[in-house]
Amino acid sequence: MTSSAGGLPGPYGGGGSGANLADILERVLDKGVVIAGDIKINLLDIELLTIKLRLIVASVDKAKEMGIDWWEQDPALSSGARHKELSQENAELRRRLEELESQAALTPAEKESREPRD
């Protein structure tokens, strides 16, 4: 049960023919692995809870090749997405401010009557 070099036997009868961890990891990242599952909890045909689990293990390049790039749009993960979100929020606030100012605006005659006179 010992190897010819006098060491311990490899796992699963290794003998040097099996792939090492780096090779396996390289293959997984190159090809990608998808694990998917759904958990649903129903009570008397009323759906109370649904949990959808999706796990994809792949390199960033492989994920982009598959059309998966959600991290680029997530403000918590991307500074570009955060900047875009802040710009949109700023534009929305400016629009709302202009709307409120226009609603509160007085007619020219009302402005003249309220201006202080010397």
Side-chain angles (χ1 to χ4, degrees):
M1 276 237 149
T2 60
S3 66
S4 60
L8 296 173
Y12 308 109
S17 64
N20 64 24
L21 182 60
D23 291 339
I24 293 170
L25 185 59
E26 184 179 344
R27 274 191 213 153
V28 166
L29 292 177
D30 184 46
K31 301 291 182 187
V33 174
V34 177
I35 300 171
D38 295 340
I39 300 170
K40 291 185 179 186
I41 298 175
N42 295 336
L43 179 64
L44 300 173
D45 292 331
I46 298 172
E47 189 172 311
L48 299 176
L49 177 68
T50 298
I51 300 173
K52 293 184 178 248
L53 302 172
R54 305 292 184 263
L55 174 65
I56 298 175
V57 179
S59 67
V60 171
D61 294 334
K62 186 65 175 180
K64 284 184 177 181
E65 186 180 309
M66 293 186 297
I68 302 168
D69 61 355
W70 53 264
W71 60 88
E72 292 178 350
Q73 309 301 323
D74 189 337
L77 300 174
S78 170
S79 61
R82 179 72 179 143
H83 178 72
K84 183 178 177 183
E85 180 184 57
L86 288 174
S87 296
Q88 289 174 342
E89 182 180 4
N90 190 12
E92 174 64 17
L93 289 173
R94 286 180 187 270
R95 185 195 62 76
R96 290 175 61 192
L97 180 61
E98 288 174 3
E99 185 179 308
L100 288 171
E101 286 175 342
S102 68
Q103 288 176 358
L106 302 174
T107 64
E110 290 174 321
K111 285 183 183 178
E112 287 178 16
S113 68
R114 291 190 180 209
E115 287 181 0
R117 297 185 184 193
D118 296 326

